Amino acid sequence: MSIDKQLRDELLQHAESLKTPPEIESRVYLSYQNDFLQKKGRLSMKKRLVSGIIAVAILIPTAALATPYLADQIFGSSQTIIERGGTQEDYQEIEKFLQEAKSKLTEEEYAEFSAIMKQLMDLKIKITDENGVMHEDRLTAEERKQFEEILPQKAAPFFEKVRGGK
């Protein structure tokens, strides 16, 4: 027998005769349990991360679609246009124009433009019946003067700037 084999056999016999104390067994068990729980926590962290990414992927397009129409700020809703003889397509055209105006005008100009448009549309809604026919006789003298002044003098420069693309 070689010395290596004898040494190995002696060490195995000695190792079999050794007894581990119970406190070491409990420490090893607690350490294993702690490591297992940490790994389990990491797994749930991955699940939370994936869930968060999925939620963001769903919420961003939803939020983009949920932004209010600019035309709603002026008319209140598309129903107002429809009640006055307009169509949903008319409403979409107005919305498209307002989006174009917002992109071409400065913030201050757009704020002034939308205020003028709101005044003008309030008057137009007042004089338009459910068939889309305008009755200017429904306006008071002051409202008629305002209606005739708003469009050519105040709104025209904004319309030119938006349509002209300056």
Side-chain angles (χ1 to χ4, degrees), residues 3-18:
I3 189 115
D4 291 335
K5 187 168 171 65
Q6 284 179 345
L7 187 57
R8 186 176 32 209
D9 287 342
E10 285 292 320
L11 287 173
L12 283 173
Q13 285 177 359
H14 184 65
E16 287 176 4
S17 67
L18 289 175

Side-chain angles (χ1 to χ4, degrees), residues 119-128 134 147 151:
Q119 290 174 345
L120 181 63
M121 290 305 135
D122 286 345
L123 293 173
K124 279 193 173 192
I125 287 170
K126 185 175 182 178
I127 64 173
T128 307
M134 294 176 66
F147 182 71
L151 189 57

Side-chain angles (χ1 to χ4, degrees), residues 37-101:
L37 289 174
Q38 284 179 350
K39 287 181 183 176
K40 187 177 181 183
R42 286 186 204 134
L43 183 62
S44 65
M45 183 64 152
K46 289 178 188 175
K47 286 181 183 177
R48 279 187 249 147
L49 181 63
V50 169
S51 299
I53 290 170
I54 290 172
V56 167
I58 292 171
L59 290 176
I60 288 177
T62 304
L65 292 174
T67 57
Y69 282 105
L70 294 174
D72 284 349
Q73 296 171 352
I74 293 174
F75 297 107
S77 73
S78 62
Q79 193 61 34
T80 306
I81 299 282
I82 293 169
E83 288 172 356
R84 299 296 181 192
T87 64
Q88 187 65 32
E89 291 76 27
D90 296 335
Y91 187 76
Q92 292 300 328
E93 281 296 315
I94 294 168
E95 175 64 24
K96 184 178 173 184
F97 176 75
L98 291 172
Q99 290 288 347
E100 184 180 355

Side-chain angles (χ1 to χ4, degrees), residues 16-34:
E16 287 176 4
S17 67
L18 289 175
K19 299 282 183 194
T20 56
E23 76 177 41
I24 290 179
E25 283 183 18
S26 66
R27 283 196 303 180
V28 168
Y29 177 75
L30 288 174
S31 176
Y32 173 76
Q33 199 173 28
N34 190 20

